[in-house]
Amino acid sequence: MEILRRHIERQVLSLTGLALGGVDFEQPPGDPGLFGPDSAAWRIHGDFTCMLIGGISALLLQALHPLALAGIWDHSNFRQDMLGRLRRTGQFISATTFGSHADAERLIARVRAIHTRVRGHAPDGRPYAADDPELLTWVHVAEVYSFLQAHLRYLNPHLPVDEQDRYYDEIALVAERLGARDVPRSRQAVEAYLLAMRPQLVYDERSRDVVEALFAAPAPSRLAAPFGRLMMQAGTDLLPEWAAHQLHLELGPLQRKGVRIGVRRIAPVLRWAVRDASIHRSRRRLGLPPLHP
């Protein structure tokens, strides 16, 4: 069983930012990082399955904003390296959540520096800049909303509203360090923000290409391919109804039921197998006991 567990764990960690290296989550001893182990951020970001599903859903949601999409379209190779983009995003989220203060600040500074070089014009002629505070807020909200929805669906549907609000309030720190402004800090504020943003969201040729590239992204191994397909469907299923309709990704009732059953069967296996993810390493940094699935 231990050989099987380690094999599953290797497959899982190959999908995460840990595969990129560069962040030592076990050093320096005692450093709580930006949030610490008692935070809502650690709770919400600590489950690989939920974070992967939420991350996929967030990418789909972000593809509806033409200015946010233009920066990615013009300044990255995401269509050829979707897995690399997921890993880089995962590294940033895990390092700012679970890493030491120094590693979190280093990655925030690196992303800020990259953002200063990402600017241009969208197909409709409007200028964009990756360090635009409004675009930073959009990208942030799409991510954290999706992460929380995945947690509520697949890990703890009874998470109290005040804990959901605490999560949004805590995690706004990262967006603000990147330069975002007027970041919504509660469930009610996030829902109001998404409603206000809907008139700006567009499904166009570029959005369609992003969706196609995401679904066509190769799995890191043959064994991971069925899991990857299930996660893609689960990310689609997690979208707000209006976004799924706009993206032409609506699932039927039987599809939704099948996807949710599949995730609920596989998630406990992954929680049993994965014992060396960012949260586990960070707990060792703080001298905390191991998590038990």
Side-chain angles (χ1 to χ4, degrees):
M1 288 295 287
E2 180 61 15
I3 293 174
L4 174 63
R5 186 196 69 75
R6 288 182 179 274
H7 179 70
I8 295 171
E9 183 176 52
R10 282 195 299 271
Q11 294 290 318
V12 168
L13 296 184
S14 73
L15 296 169
T16 71
L18 288 172
L20 300 177
V23 178
D24 187 349
F25 289 91
E26 297 189 45
Q27 297 295 329
D31 187 329
L34 296 182
F35 302 106
D38 296 325
S39 64
W42 273 50
R43 176 185 294 187
I44 303 303
H45 291 181
D47 183 72
F48 166 77
T49 306
C50 293
M51 290 298 286
L52 181 57
I53 292 170
I56 291 167
S57 189
L59 284 175
L60 292 168
L61 190 56
Q62 288 166 358
L64 288 171
H65 195 302
L67 296 184
L69 182 55
I72 298 170
W73 189 277
D74 294 340
H75 296 271
S76 77
N77 65 339
F78 73 95
R79 281 164 289 174
Q80 293 76 41
D81 186 24
M82 188 63 75
L83 180 56
R85 174 169 174 76
L86 285 169
R87 284 171 172 158
R88 290 188 293 274
T89 301
Q91 182 190 57
F92 179 81
I93 293 165
S94 62
T96 52
T97 305
F98 301 111
S100 67
H101 276 91
D103 279 330
E105 297 291 1
R106 176 172 58 83
L107 262 69
I108 289 170
R110 185 173 75 184
V111 170
R112 286 188 71 121
I114 292 170
H115 283 172
T116 63
R117 303 192 295 270
V118 177
R119 53 192 68 243
H121 289 81
D124 60 8
R126 286 184 293 165
Y128 68 81
D131 55 4
D132 178 342
E134 291 186 6
L135 288 185
L136 289 167
T137 299
W138 162 251
V139 171
H140 168 80
V141 171
E143 288 180 350
V144 298
Y145 168 81
S146 300
F147 295 151
L148 180 56
Q149 294 310 304
H151 180 90
L152 292 171
R153 177 166 296 171
Y154 291 114
L155 192 59
N156 184 9
H158 306 296
L159 184 70
V161 172
D162 61 343
E163 279 296 290
Q164 297 179 43
D165 288 345
R166 184 162 79 102
Y167 168 65
Y168 283 133
D169 185 55
E170 288 176 0
I171 207 64
L173 170 69
V174 177
E176 290 170 348
R177 293 281 182 90
L178 288 173
R181 289 201 301 263
D182 302 321
V183 181
R185 290 177 169 270
S186 68
R187 189 179 70 165
Q188 185 177 12
V190 166
E191 291 173 353
Y193 174 84
L194 289 172
L195 181 63
M197 288 296 295
R198 285 180 60 181
Q200 299 183 42
L201 306 181
V202 176
Y203 179 76
D204 57 16
E205 186 176 347
R206 285 187 169 185
S207 304
R208 187 190 67 233
D209 285 352
V210 169
V211 171
E212 290 177 354
L214 188 56
F215 276 86
S221 72
R222 235 180 246 180
L223 289 174
F227 171 75
R229 287 193 292 271
L230 176 62
M231 293 298 101
M232 286 300 308
Q233 291 297 314
T236 301
D237 177 41
L238 194 69
L239 285 165
E241 185 176 341
W242 57 264
H245 177 74
Q246 196 167 0
L247 286 161
H248 304 284
L249 290 175
E250 294 164 298
L251 300 178
L254 288 179
Q255 287 178 291
R256 290 183 181 276
K257 183 178 180 180
V259 166
R260 296 178 192 187
I261 289 172
V263 173
R264 291 188 177 110
R265 284 179 176 171
I266 198 170
V269 176
L270 300 183
R271 291 170 193 142
W272 162 76
V274 178
R275 302 179 190 177
D276 206 29
S278 303
I279 189 171
H280 302 90
R281 300 181 190 194
S282 299
R283 288 180 65 86
R284 294 198 288 267
R285 184 180 77 240
L286 295 171
L288 297 172
L291 291 172
H292 295 288

